[in-house]
Amino acid sequence: MMKRREFITLIGGAAAWPLAARAQQAAMPVIGFLHAGSPEPNVNRVAGFRKGLGEAGYVEGQSVAIEYR
C-alpha cells in the first residue's frame, strides 16, 4: 500500500516531468540577413544563401531561423 506522502511525491514529479523535458531542448539558431537595399535586386543572392545553408544541412524554419532586415 502506498503512503500519502509517497503518492503526492509521485504525482508532483510526474507533473513537472514535461516541463523539464521541454527545458532541455536546444534553441534554434537565428541568422540575421542585413542589407540596405530593396530585396528585389538581391533575389539571386538570397537564393544562393539559402542553397548554401541547405548544402550545410540547415533548413529554414526547421533547423535554423533567418531574419531578413
Side-chain angles (χ1 to χ4, degrees):
M1 185 169 186
M2 186 179 284
K3 295 181 182 177
R4 178 176 174 232
R5 219 175 270 245
E6 292 171 347
F7 178 74
I8 292 171
T9 302
L10 176 68
I11 297 300
W17 182 77
L19 296 175
R22 233 181 307 155
Q24 294 177 2
Q25 293 176 352
M28 184 181 301
V30 178
I31 297 174
F33 191 89
L34 304 174
H35 195 275
S38 63
E40 291 82 21
N42 297 303
V43 172
N44 292 336
R45 287 186 181 149
V46 172
F49 179 67
R50 284 183 175 157
K51 181 181 177 192
L53 284 174
E55 290 171 356
Y58 293 100
V59 178
E60 185 177 3
Q62 293 179 358
S63 57
V64 68
I66 304 173
E67 291 193 12
Y68 299 93
R69 305 279 184 210

